[in-house]
Amino acid sequence: MFANCIDRFRALFLSIVLLSCLAAPALAGPFEDSVAKFANDEFSDTEAAIGEVAASGNALASPIISALQDGRLSADPDSKKVFITRTDGKIVDATTGAAVDKLPDNAAAVRLNNRLRRTVEAALGGLTLLSPDPAKRLAAAQSVFKSHEENLLPTVESALAKESVKSVKQAFAEARAAIILFKSDASDSDKLDAVAVVKARGDQEALALLTGLGTDQPPLVANAAASAVSSIQSNLAMWSMVQNAWYGLSLGSVLLLAAIGLAITFGVMGVINMAHGEMVMLGAYTTFVVQEVIRSRYPALFDYSLLIAVPLAFLVAGLIGVVIERTIIRFLYGRPLETLLATWGLSLVLQQAVRTAFGPTNREVGNPSWMSGAFELGQITITYNRLWILCFTLAVFAILLAMLRYTALGLEMRAVTQNRRMAASMGIATSRVDALTFGLGSGIAGIAGVALSQIDNVSPNLGQSYIIDSFMVVVFGGVGNLWGTLVGAFTLGIANKFLEPVAGAVLGKIAILVLIILFIQKRPRGLFALKGRAVEA
């Protein structure tokens, strides 16, 4: 009897196992059914499978769609099984993740067309909507805003309800609004709310989204969208002007940094120094040498390379400036034409010397981490290197003003500028002041080269790009007047950036030059003329 019980128990157990095996296909879940659609080799079924898999929340959803995008998703039309070929070459079952020895003989890659590729990209963006990383959620929300895939609406709404980070929550709200705008069965009130959300965003992508709405929209929605488009266009036009003003300030800071040393030498000494641009170039090459030494010997100090290069560039360019003044310029005072020709010839010599030492090609000067990248302010983009150059320029200007006002050398320089003969009769060694002034102007040009190395090509011709503009700034602002140089640099920089979109880069510069010539006809001494008996005589 005990043996009969054992036999009955075994029979019952085998029956349960058999029934479980027979019922297995019937117990397949919706995720398995969705994955099986990839094996139908129909674009419509593939599109439906993408949406269903992406919305399933299954851990294998992202690997499946990523494999589909890369051509690594294969399907067997006979067994309706789908397989993922991983990047390491191993093959796994797409529904279970279990390893598979090899693909079936009839398995083929799931096909995609251009429409499905866009759907895949949108689905991948949607899969990261619930990522634990806020940056990934933000990027995903922005991707959905551009694609506005309707099948991602439930995921977006779920993510919006759970989001706690303010900026990401706003991005989710904008993504939801973009989807609703293109959703055919959305109510008019929902679409009007969506138009308001997109209008509040107010950037180029919002404008593109609203202008891309079809003509089949209800009249109320169409009117609201047209009003929003007009408002965004006006807002963007204003921000475009702000962006041009920033570009002008950025260019003006570069011009000021290049011209401020020239304003000192030209104002105090009356020397037309055509080699001033080469002092800028020497400062840039000093930065290059400093960075090369740091890269090869002290790579951990790279972020401090510019801080090290600034004093070295000042010393190198300043000492060369003193040597030039003592050996060439001092013999040519009062002879402006000969000074111009001598310094122009000297500029050619310095350029050729640099070509011989460093070669004629551009040299790489890297940006430290704190000068790399950009940030958004409203609808404008501000790069860190330009912002730091502006701050650095204003700091140099302030230090130079303080030096001229509160130091003995500054007092002597101002005295020589206003009346050289009277200053000499009062015991000021004008020749020493000339040498130090030329060295100071050249040193400032050297540190200008450090800044310019971050935004321009470091080559033997670097200084030639700025020498003419520097002279225009000095003449326009007032020879020897630092405040005039400041105002002149920023005025010319802003004017140039506002003229460029209208007239083009070349015609814009020509227009600036003509305007300066006309201005000098009316005010020969520039915006801020120096005061003094010798100057006014």
Side-chain angles (χ1 to χ4, degrees), residues 67-278:
L68 177 63
Q69 185 182 47
D70 299 338
R72 296 182 288 104
L73 190 70
S74 304
D76 182 4
D78 297 333
S79 63
K80 299 298 182 182
K81 286 187 173 295
V82 182
F83 306 92
I84 300 172
T85 303
R86 300 194 316 195
T87 54
D88 58 4
K90 295 182 179 180
I91 302 169
V92 298
D93 190 308
T95 56
T96 64
V100 178
D101 292 336
K102 65 175 184 176
L103 290 174
D105 294 336
N106 293 333
V110 179
R111 297 182 302 142
L112 290 177
N113 57 18
N114 290 335
R115 179 182 176 184
L116 286 179
R117 289 188 181 92
R118 291 192 293 269
T119 304
V120 167
E121 291 176 359
L124 286 174
L127 286 171
T128 55
L129 288 171
L130 301 176
S131 169
D133 185 355
K136 290 184 179 180
R137 295 199 302 273
L138 180 63
Q142 292 171 344
S143 176
V144 173
F145 180 85
K146 295 176 185 177
S147 65
H148 46 79
E149 290 289 336
E150 185 175 327
N151 56 4
L152 293 176
L153 182 59
T155 308
V156 170
E157 290 180 334
S158 174
L160 177 61
K162 298 175 182 177
E163 188 57 58
S164 59
V165 180
K166 184 177 179 181
S167 59
V168 182
K169 192 176 186 71
Q170 179 63 30
F172 280 139
E174 293 166 356
R176 178 181 179 276
I179 295 173
I180 290 175
L181 273 178
F182 288 84
K183 197 169 185 290
S184 57
D185 57 348
S187 65
D188 288 1
S189 61
D190 287 343
K191 287 194 173 187
L192 289 175
D193 292 339
V195 168
V197 171
V198 176
K199 177 184 176 181
R201 175 168 172 149
D203 60 1
Q204 288 287 355
E205 292 178 353
L207 180 64
L209 191 76
L210 290 172
T211 53
L213 283 175
T215 56
D216 56 344
Q217 298 295 327
L220 202 60
V221 176
N223 291 336
S227 175
V229 166
S230 177
S231 175
I232 292 175
Q233 286 175 335
S234 301
N235 187 53
L236 288 177
M238 181 197 70
W239 280 110
S240 177
M241 293 180 64
V242 175
Q243 182 77 75
N244 284 336
W246 163 249
Y247 288 150
L249 287 175
S250 176
L251 176 60
S253 67
V254 171
L255 293 178
L256 175 61
L257 203 55
I260 194 170
L262 188 64
I264 296 172
T265 56
F266 196 17
V268 175
M269 307 167 66
V271 172
I272 303 174
N273 180 19
M274 295 301 293
H276 183 78
E278 277 54 54

Side-chain angles (χ1 to χ4, degrees), residues 280-290 354 358-359 361 363 458-460:
V280 175
M281 178 260 293
L282 290 175
Y285 272 97
T286 301
T287 309
F288 165 72
V289 171
V290 169
V354 169
F358 297 97
T361 57
R363 291 295 181 172
V458 177
S459 70

Side-chain angles (χ1 to χ4, degrees), residues 438-475:
F438 203 89
L440 177 63
S442 299
I444 293 174
I447 62 176
V450 178
L452 292 179
S453 69
Q454 300 299 297
I455 59 174
D456 208 339
N457 295 324
V458 177
S459 70
N461 299 321
L462 173 64
Q464 295 297 307
S465 305
Y466 296 96
I467 185 64
I468 301 301
D469 289 337
S470 297
F471 273 109
M472 285 199 301
V473 167
V474 171
V475 173

Side-chain angles (χ1 to χ4, degrees), residues 420-432:
R420 176 178 291 272
R421 287 188 294 178
M422 181 61 73
S425 68
M426 296 297 293
I428 296 175
T430 56
S431 61
R432 181 180 64 87

